[in-house]
Amino acid sequence: MPDRSPSEIARETFKILAGKRLAPTPENYQAHYHEVAGTLAPAYFPSEPLRQIAAVLPSRNPGQEKQLGLLTSAIGQRSWDKVEAALVGYASFAVSASAFAPLGSAEPAEPEAQVTALQEQVARLIESAQPALGADDARFLSQAAEMLRMLRHSHDVMAVKTALGNFAHRLSFAAEDQAEIKSSLLNLLHMVFENIGELCTEDRWLRGQIDALMNASTPPLNLRRLDDVERRLRDVIFKQTEAKGRASQAQAQMQQLLATFVERLSQMSESSTVYHGKIENCARLIEQATTIEELGPVLQDAITATRSMAHDMAHSRDELQTMRAKTEQAEEQIARLHNELDRASAQARHDALTGVLNRRGLDEAMAREIATARRKGHALCVALLDLDNFKKFNDQLGHDAGDAALQHLADVARQSIRPQDSLARYGGEEFVIVLPDTGLEAAIAILTRLQRELTTRYFLSGKDKLLITFSAGVAQMADSEDMADAIKRADGAMYLAKRTGKNRVLGA
C-alpha cells in the first residue's frame, strides 16, 4: 500500500465514521485514524471522565482554584504527568475536614456532612439577605423559598448548583431593583426638601435646617445618618407647626381687630348722621320760635344730642385705643416668635462656620454611641485635635483666613473619616472625632491617616499654598467613664503631643 498523506487518511477516517454512524468525537476519530493509517493507537486517556471529576471538585481557597485550572489544562493536553502534578497540588491546598466537623466531634466530618453544612450556610446567607431585598417581587420570594427548600433537603449537588446559579441571576435583578428604588426615594426626598425650602425663603432658621437635611440625606447613607435625618425632620415639623399655629392665631386676632374697627367706624357714622339730624331740627325750631320760652326745650334737645354724641365719640376713642394696644401685643407676639426661631437656630446641632456638629450635636452623638457601645460590648474612642500654630496663623493672615483654614480642615476630615464616625467642632480651633467600634490603636491609625491626607491637600490663602497640621490625643472610653472624662484624657494626650513637637497623635 503506497504511503498516504495525513489529509487522505483523515478523509478516509471521516467516511468510516459516517458509515458506522459514529459521532466524530476525539476518541472515535483517533481510534479509526490509527486503524486506517495502520499505526498503533496511543494508550487510552479518559478525558471526559476526568473533566467530570474536575467539575465537581470544590475550590475552597485560591490555591485549590489555581490547581483545578491546571488540572483542566492537563486534561486538554492529555498529559498524565501534568494531571498527577495538578492533583497533588490540589491535595496540598485541601481544607482540613475538621473545619466542617460538628461541635464536640473528635472525628473529621464526612464529605456528605461537609456539603450539608455548606448548603446550610448558604441557606442562612439567603435568609439574612432577604429582608434587604423587599417583599414586593412575588416571583423572587417564591424562587427564594424553593432555593431554601433545595439547600436544606436535596442531596443532589449538581441540581443544587444549577438552581443556585439561576437564583443568583434572579438575585442580581432584585438587588438592582432595590438600588433603583433607594435612589428614586432619595430623589423624591430631596425634591420635598427643596420644595419646603423654596416656600420658606424668608425663614432663615428653616432654610438652614433644610440645607442640613439635604446634606444628611446625601449618600453614602447609614443608620446613624438616617437617624440624624429623622431627628432634624421632627424638629422642622415641630417648629413649622408651632410657627403656623401662632401665625394663624395672630392673623385671626388681626382680622378681629379690623372687623371691630370697621364696625366702630360705621357706628360713628350712624351716630354722626343722627346728631346732624337733631341739630338741623333744632335749628329749624329756633328759626320758627317767637318767644324765649319756645327756645328752652330746643336748646335742651341740642345739649342732650351733643352730650350723647360726645359720649359716643369718647367710647369709640377708648375702643380704638384698646384695639391699638391689642394690635401692638400681636406684633410683639410675632416678634417673639421670630426671636424664638432665631434662638432655635442658634441651638441647632451643627456649627454655622464649618457645617460639622456643634457642642449640642456632639453631646447627642456621644450619648447615642456610648449607649450602643455598652449595649453591644464594643470599643469606643474619642479623639480631640487642635490646629498647630493657629493663633500665629490668625495674626499673620487675618481671621477670615483662619475661618477658611478651619473650613478646610473640616472638609478634609469629613472626606477622610469613615461614614460611621462623627466630627464636631469643640470650640475655637479644636475638633472632636467620635470613633465607634474602634480600639485605641485603630483610632490612632485613623487620625494619622488624616494627618497624611492634610499634607497632600494644601490650604490656599490667596496664591500661597500653606500646610495645615494638627496635634491630637485619642482616648478609648472605659465602661464606667462619661464623655467629659474621656475628652479630658484625650485633651491631656493632645497637649503632650504639642509639647513633644506638634503634628503628632498620642493615645491617652
Side-chain angles (χ1 to χ4, degrees):
M1 178 183 295
D3 292 338
R4 288 181 289 181
S5 65
S7 60
E8 292 175 339
I9 298 174
R11 282 196 297 271
E12 184 66 24
T13 301
F14 279 118
K15 288 180 181 179
I16 293 174
L17 291 176
K20 293 182 178 181
R21 297 183 178 180
L22 295 175
T25 63
E27 290 79 12
N28 290 338
Y29 177 84
Q30 187 180 59
H32 287 81
Y33 181 94
H34 288 286
E35 181 182 338
V36 172
T39 57
L40 293 176
Y44 173 70
F45 189 89
S47 300
E48 195 59 33
L50 286 175
R51 286 194 181 93
Q52 293 178 0
I53 292 173
V56 298
L57 284 175
S59 56
R60 297 193 179 98
N61 53 57
Q64 287 187 336
E65 186 175 354
K66 178 180 179 181
Q67 294 302 320
L68 284 178
L70 294 175
L71 177 60
T72 303
S73 176
I75 294 172
Q77 299 175 27
R78 305 172 68 82
S79 171
W80 281 112
D81 293 338
K82 293 183 178 180
V83 168
E84 180 182 0
L87 288 175
V88 171
Y90 175 84
S92 67
F93 286 104
V95 178
S96 173
S98 62
F100 296 91
L103 292 175
S105 174
E107 296 296 328
E110 295 296 329
E112 183 177 349
Q114 296 180 25
V115 173
T116 302
L118 180 60
Q119 290 183 187
E120 177 60 26
Q121 289 177 4
V122 175
R124 291 177 180 176
L125 178 63
I126 293 174
E127 287 178 334
S128 299
Q130 252 185 299
L133 298 172
D136 299 330
D137 190 339
R139 182 180 175 188
F140 172 74
L141 293 176
S142 175
Q143 192 169 357
E146 178 61 21
M147 189 71 251
L148 290 172
R149 187 194 65 77
M150 289 191 66
L151 286 168
R152 286 182 168 138
H153 301 291
S154 176
H155 301 289
D156 188 344
V157 177
M158 295 305 296
V160 171
K161 179 182 176 182
T162 301
L164 196 56
N166 294 334
F167 178 73
H169 184 65
R170 184 69 184 176
L171 182 63
S172 67
F173 284 111
E176 289 176 4
D177 288 344
Q178 290 301 314
E180 288 293 329
I181 291 172
K182 175 184 174 183
S183 177
S184 298
L185 286 175
L186 278 177
N187 288 336
L188 290 174
L189 189 61
H190 279 200
M191 289 175 63
V192 171
F193 291 158
E194 289 176 354
N195 186 52
I196 294 175
E198 291 297 327
L199 294 176
C200 305
T201 53
E202 297 181 359
D203 194 328
R204 290 176 298 171
W205 177 85
L206 192 58
R207 180 71 257 180
Q209 289 294 82
I210 292 299
D211 291 341
L213 281 171
M214 293 284 286
N215 181 63
S217 58
T218 300
L221 294 179
N222 52 49
L223 290 177
R224 290 181 178 85
R225 294 192 69 181
L226 291 176
D227 184 50
D228 188 39
V229 171
E230 181 182 357
R231 286 198 307 273
R232 287 179 175 279
L233 194 55
R234 288 183 184 276
D235 283 348
V236 169
I237 292 173
F238 175 76
K239 291 296 182 183
Q240 189 180 28
T241 303
E242 184 181 29
K244 182 179 179 181
R246 294 191 182 183
S248 298
Q249 183 180 1
Q251 183 180 4
Q253 190 172 6
M254 290 293 291
Q255 289 176 342
Q256 182 180 2
L257 293 175
L258 288 174
T260 304
F261 178 72
V262 172
E263 181 182 355
R264 291 296 175 265
L265 286 178
S266 176
Q267 291 177 356
M268 289 172 64
S269 177
E270 291 178 0
S271 298
S272 178
T273 302
V274 172
Y275 174 73
H276 284 297
K278 288 183 177 181
I279 294 299
E280 288 178 359
N281 184 50
C282 289
R284 188 174 59 255
L285 292 175
I286 290 173
E287 290 176 353
Q288 295 174 359
T290 57
T291 63
I292 294 299
E293 288 77 8
E294 292 178 350
L295 291 177
V298 175
L299 290 175
Q300 185 63 40
D301 290 341
I303 292 171
T304 302
T306 301
R307 286 178 176 174
S308 177
M309 181 64 181
H311 179 269
D312 290 342
M313 291 294 291
H315 180 69
S316 297
R317 182 199 61 199
D318 293 340
E319 286 193 344
L320 288 176
Q321 288 178 344
T322 302
M323 284 191 292
R324 178 181 178 182
K326 290 182 178 180
T327 302
E328 290 175 350
Q329 290 177 359
E331 290 176 351
E332 291 176 359
Q333 184 179 8
I334 294 174
R336 276 199 308 273
L337 174 61
H338 284 292
N339 290 333
E340 288 176 8
L341 291 178
D342 289 339
R343 284 195 298 272
S345 178
Q347 296 172 355
R349 295 178 176 87
H350 285 73
D351 176 57
L353 175 64
T354 60
V356 302
L357 295 175
N358 60 12
R359 292 290 288 270
R360 180 184 178 188
L362 174 63
D363 291 343
E364 293 182 358
M366 281 294 294
R368 182 174 65 251
E369 296 299 347
I370 290 173
T372 301
R374 290 176 179 169
R375 185 175 66 253
K376 296 183 177 180
H378 292 175
L380 174 64
C381 282
V382 57
L384 179 67
L385 59 92
D386 184 275
L387 265 69
D388 294 327
N389 305 314
F390 187 70
K391 184 179 184 302
K392 181 179 179 182
F393 190 96
N394 265 342
D395 293 341
Q396 292 180 350
L397 300 177
H399 290 284
D400 289 342
D403 289 346
L406 294 175
Q407 292 170 335
H408 176 75
L409 172 62
D411 291 340
V412 176
R414 265 195 301 255
Q415 297 170 20
S416 300
I417 62 178
R418 305 167 302 177
Q420 64 266 34
D421 301 332
S422 299
L423 174 65
R425 187 180 180 190
Y426 195 63
E429 67 273 21
E430 291 183 332
F431 291 82
V432 168
I433 301 178
V434 184
L435 302 147
D437 303 335
T438 309
L440 183 61
E441 292 184 3
I444 293 175
I446 292 174
L447 269 294
T448 304
R449 184 171 67 246
L450 173 56
Q451 284 184 324
R452 289 198 300 268
E453 186 67 21
L454 277 172
T455 62
T456 64
R457 299 176 58 176
Y458 287 94
F459 169 66
L460 295 177
S461 179
K463 296 182 179 180
D464 298 328
K465 290 184 177 180
L466 303 176
L467 177 63
I468 293 178
T469 64
F470 66 82
S471 301
V474 183
Q476 181 172 341
M477 293 199 62
D479 292 339
S480 58
E481 193 173 29
D482 60 15
M483 180 187 75
D485 291 336
I487 292 181
K488 184 177 181 180
R489 289 198 295 115
D491 183 65
M494 183 266 291
Y495 275 105
L496 181 60
K498 282 188 174 294
R499 288 195 300 268
T500 54
K502 300 182 180 180
N503 194 23
R504 300 185 62 189
V505 179
L506 295 180

